[in-house]
Amino acid sequence: MTKIFETPLYPYTRQADQNAAQPVRRKVVIIGAGPVGLAAAIDLAQQGIEAIIVDENDKVSFGSRAICFAKRPLEILDRLGCGEPMVDKGVVWNLGKVFFDERQVYEFNLLPEEGHRRPAFINLQQYYFEEYLVNRARELQQQGAPIEIRGGNKLIKIDDKGDHVDLTIDTPEGPYQLEADWVIACDGASSPTRQMMGLDFVGRIFEDNFLIADVIMDAPFPTERWFWFDPPFNKGQSALLHKQPDGVWRIDLQLGWDINKEEEKKPENVIPRLKAMLGDDVNFELEWVSIYTFQCRRMENFRHGRVLFAGDSAHQVSPFGARGANSGLQDTDNLCWKLKLVMDGKAPESLLDSYDDERVYGADENILNSSRSTDFITPKSDMSRLLRDAVLDLSEHYEFARPLVNSGRLSVPCTYDQSELNSEDKLDGPTRSRPGSPCADAPLGEGFLLDQLGDQFTLLTINADAPNELDVDGIKIKRLALSSADDTSNAIKERYLGNAQQAVYLIRPDQHVAARHDTFDQTYFTNALRRAIGKSV
Amino acid sequence: MSERLNLKPNIANADDFYAELLAAHEGLSKEDSDALNARLLLILANHIGDRDILAAALKAAKI
């Protein structure tokens, strides 16, 4: 059987740009056709901005790799027009079990809040994730949107000229020159773009190795996340079992630092380990095996002139908590609307520095959380292990110790509390929807709130009067007028009104709250919009 | 066991606390780490003060 990750999805074809006598100028060139690069291109192309992806390969990701996709990225994908196939294919799970030594110490339910269109998490192999993004890109292309994926195109030279970027791209038929107004580098943790530009990537290396295996089996394991600390089948180490679509199970086994990677990857060494874990009577087939080590680090700045870094190229985290691809999608969500306003001449170029501020803040939050999980899973001193084991022992008997057990703090979007794009909070409303926070979804008629917000600035009014359309400095703000009568589930009241009787929210195109007030105050909201696009007020 | 001993989650931002606890031990020898734990235990016990609670806590720790 030919697997999706073995089939070329965007094979090399010769482009007119390669025959041009002078380098052709393109609007946005994106380096890398992974989840982040594809999402960026779709976001821009949907808004009419030319986006050319170059990638040295021609296939989707090999092996499952990123497998946990969180609610916020799924909501972003809804905005990009491809959330549905992901959720249809993905495995939804809520229950997690924690084992220590030979026994289960406790279980937890993610207990997702009611009234959201999307679940807390789905498990989906990265190759499907990328395939659905490629399908969406093709669909946009057929509708005439300016989007292209150029496989077999490898960036070999990059030079920021101040008013544009010069690129040299190698192909099977030799190199060609290209110019770009803007470049987004989404070329992964070992980012060649970052290396060619001589930029830093500083942080902590964790001295550990993990064996990661995709196993096809017909087994009665339930759709749950199982995590083992120090299990009998992997003494002194940890293990994780997670279900993916198509009867594929993901197994992560911690191996320790001092190992021979090539030896450990051989099926004759992998299979006995898996048998010890799954039992002798379970029939399974290995689909993919890999060994990874990881680091927690980030670039000092994600913006370098006309080159913007997003996803793993800008920041790398340990896998615990699923904060890699999930945060990468939040990067492009944050970046694309800003880039469009700057390219349209509606916002100052300095708006792009807020991408740097906000997403560096997000990266630091992710690095902190994933480093702490790593320290709990792999204690780096005797005392750290002693305390960890005490927490696990206590967690079996006492509820108080369970919040201390850390097998990964699962990805949630960050609130940009310190952002300069925020305006002063003028509403006695719920803390969760203060300026800087991502909008929480809520049921609305037959559908959901976030689908109504879309990707433009929105003035959300609840029981409050306001003009139906506003224009501030050439930016149109559409109004979404709600009243308590629409709020049959009470979710709008709980998530957006709190103690207030009425409210007006200014919501950014990435669905974060920029400002809120108890009435429509023209001066307040005009200034809030200007502030939210990086103008000084 | 005293029913007044709180064995429900009671620490806000538990991850911050745990990180702070690990940081306090960083770089210490086994001996110094053990001594730190002993001092910490006595300081916390003194803060609690209540003999019934302390007795119940001693019992709870012997799982």
Side-chain angles (χ1 to χ4, degrees):
Chain A
M1 188 180 91
T2 311
K3 297 195 165 66
I4 173 71
F5 54 86
E6 290 166 345
T7 314
L9 271 191
Y10 34 90
Y12 169 76
T13 52
R14 193 174 178 85
Q15 303 292 327
D17 288 354
Q18 290 166 258
N19 303 328
Q22 294 296 317
V24 177
R25 174 74 68 92
R26 296 294 185 177
K27 295 287 184 198
V28 181
V29 172
I30 294 166
I31 318 297
V36 180
L38 286 163
I42 291 167
D43 207 344
L44 292 169
Q46 266 192 175
Q47 302 182 62
I49 292 181
E50 177 183 68
I52 313 284
I53 308 178
V54 297
D55 194 297
E56 61 179 305
N57 296 310
D58 55 9
K59 301 179 189 68
V60 292
S61 131
F62 188 76
S64 60
R65 300 176 68 186
I67 62 156
C68 268
F69 295 95
K71 183 159 70 69
R72 182 59 201 149
L74 295 175
E75 291 165 353
I76 294 168
L77 292 168
D78 281 334
R79 189 173 65 69
L80 301 183
C82 51
E84 203 64 27
M86 310 272 183
V87 177
D88 284 350
K89 180 78 183 175
V91 170
V92 177
W93 62 275
N94 286 318
L95 201 67
K97 286 182 177 158
V98 177
F99 300 85
F100 180 37
D101 198 357
E102 291 188 327
R103 59 202 200 277
Q104 180 183 326
V105 285
Y106 76 102
E107 61 180 54
F108 62 89
N109 194 322
L110 290 176
L111 281 181
E113 188 180 56
E114 294 284 313
H116 292 253
R117 181 178 178 195
R118 295 308 180 196
F121 272 95
I122 61 166
N123 285 2
L124 184 70
Q125 294 92 328
Q126 185 172 332
Y127 47 80
Y128 281 128
F129 192 86
E130 290 180 12
E131 186 196 359
Y132 299 155
L133 285 167
V134 170
N135 291 346
R136 175 62 181 149
R138 297 270 181 252
E139 186 181 86
L140 284 167
Q141 211 166 23
Q142 276 162 14
Q143 293 163 5
I147 184 169
E148 263 181 56
I149 310 173
R150 297 184 182 175
N153 275 239
K154 181 185 179 182
L155 178 72
I156 52 169
K157 196 161 177 285
I158 180 164
D159 195 2
D160 190 341
K161 294 291 189 188
D163 64 342
H164 73 280
V165 184
D166 282 343
L167 302 166
T168 306
I169 291 162
D170 201 11
T171 74
E173 297 180 288
Y176 68 103
Q177 308 287 320
L178 204 57
E179 291 179 0
D181 286 344
W182 298 93
V183 171
I184 309 178
C186 312
D187 46 355
S190 59
S191 174
T193 309
R194 192 186 61 229
Q195 288 174 24
M196 279 183 256
M197 291 176 71
L199 298 169
D200 60 273
F201 199 40
V202 183
R204 220 176 124 190
I205 301 174
F206 289 87
E207 296 198 336
D208 215 325
N209 291 288
F210 284 78
L211 174 77
I212 151 177
D214 279 353
V215 166
I216 302 168
M217 62 176 172
D218 250 337
F221 294 111
T223 306
E224 299 169 355
R225 176 187 194 263
W226 287 12
F227 197 96
W228 287 263
F229 292 98
D230 198 10
F233 57 82
N234 198 24
K235 268 324 261 181
Q237 310 286 1
S238 66
L240 175 70
L241 178 70
H242 236 180
K243 190 179 185 181
Q244 306 176 62
D246 304 340
V248 179
W249 297 78
R250 166 70 165 271
I251 293 168
D252 288 32
L253 290 170
Q254 187 188 359
L255 297 179
W257 183 238
D258 194 19
I259 59 154
N260 183 330
K261 288 191 194 182
E262 286 315 306
E263 279 299 306
E264 290 291 347
K265 260 199 285 199
K266 290 181 178 166
E268 64 260 37
N269 291 321
V270 174
I271 286 167
R273 283 186 179 280
L274 297 180
K275 275 190 181 300
M277 175 174 179
L278 302 170
D280 271 336
D281 46 345
V282 173
N283 288 320
F284 62 86
E285 186 193 323
L286 270 182
E287 184 179 66
W288 173 66
V289 175
S290 175
I291 287 186
Y292 67 87
T293 57
F294 51 77
Q295 312 197 358
C296 287
R297 54 185 181 170
R298 69 163 168 88
M299 298 177 73
E300 193 179 342
N301 293 108
F302 297 173
R303 179 187 175 203
H304 289 267
R306 290 185 168 262
V307 183
L308 299 134
F309 289 81
D312 283 2
S313 72
H315 46 78
Q316 199 184 358
V317 294
S318 84
F320 309 112
R323 289 166 180 266
N326 283 317
S327 68
L329 287 169
Q330 289 164 62
D331 288 346
T332 62
D333 191 43
N334 187 289
L335 173 61
C336 290
W337 67 271
K338 294 174 181 175
L339 192 53
K340 176 174 165 57
L341 287 177
V342 170
M343 292 176 80
D344 288 350
K346 290 181 177 171
E349 204 179 297
S350 61
L351 177 60
L352 295 173
D353 293 328
S354 76
Y355 164 68
D356 189 87
D357 289 342
E358 293 182 338
R359 292 314 298 164
V360 163
Y361 178 79
D364 283 344
E365 194 173 286
N366 287 320
I367 287 171
L368 178 71
N369 276 291
S370 90
S371 299
R372 284 176 175 178
S373 303
T374 310
D375 284 339
F376 195 88
I377 292 162
T378 35
K380 61 185 190 316
S381 70
D382 289 344
M383 185 50 68
S384 178
R385 179 174 293 272
L386 193 73
L387 287 166
R388 197 280 305 267
D389 289 354
V391 166
L392 289 169
D393 277 330
L394 290 165
S395 74
E396 187 180 1
H397 301 274
Y398 309 122
E399 207 183 313
F400 88 89
R402 292 173 194 167
L404 293 167
V405 176
N406 191 342
S407 67
R409 296 283 180 243
L410 298 171
S411 173
V412 285
C414 84
T415 297
Y416 305 127
D417 273 320
Q418 310 299 324
S419 176
E420 288 181 4
L421 306 189
N422 296 345
S423 291
E424 192 191 343
D425 192 357
K426 294 286 216 181
L427 180 78
D428 180 21
T431 312
R432 66 188 286 178
S433 47
R434 64 192 183 276
S437 56
C439 284
D441 207 358
L444 207 57
E446 298 295 299
F448 287 89
L449 173 65
L450 294 188
D451 294 329
Q452 300 289 319
L453 293 179
D455 56 11
Q456 307 293 316
F457 273 101
T458 305
L459 196 70
L460 169 68
T461 62
I462 307 162
N463 304 330
D465 288 329
N468 279 328
E469 195 146 292
L470 274 177
D471 189 312
V472 179
D473 300 356
I475 295 173
K476 288 207 172 6
I477 308 170
K478 63 166 183 139
R479 177 184 174 202
L480 175 61
L482 304 180
S483 76
S484 290
D486 306 317
D487 187 27
T488 47
S489 70
N490 223 29
I492 300 279
K493 175 173 170 42
E494 186 198 344
R495 293 165 202 178
Y496 292 93
L497 280 179
N499 299 324
Q501 295 304 310
Q502 59 170 57
V504 182
Y505 282 79
L506 178 64
I507 295 167
R508 307 183 344 182
D510 58 3
Q511 304 177 348
H512 278 252
V513 175
R516 62 179 187 175
H517 203 296
D518 54 2
T519 56
F520 177 73
D521 177 320
Q522 175 105 30
T523 310
Y524 173 84
F525 281 105
T526 301
N527 286 337
L529 189 281
R530 289 190 175 131
R531 197 175 286 116
I533 60 168
K535 291 187 176 176
S536 41
V537 177
Chain B
M1 195 181 297
S2 169
E3 281 174 10
R4 292 185 296 122
L5 176 66
N6 187 0
L7 292 168
K8 301 274 182 236
N10 191 36
I11 305 172
N13 302 318
D15 282 351
D16 288 346
F17 159 71
Y18 195 76
E20 213 175 316
L21 180 60
L22 292 190
H25 284 283
E26 218 164 85
L28 298 189
S29 65
K30 170 82 173 79
E31 209 179 3
D32 289 346
S33 253
D34 286 347
L36 176 72
N37 277 344
R39 291 194 298 270
L40 180 61
L41 182 155
L42 293 168
I43 288 168
L44 295 175
N46 176 66
H47 178 81
I48 293 161
D50 187 319
R51 288 283 287 104
D52 288 345
I53 299 275
L54 291 172
L58 276 169
K59 203 178 274 180
K62 287 189 175 176
I63 46 177

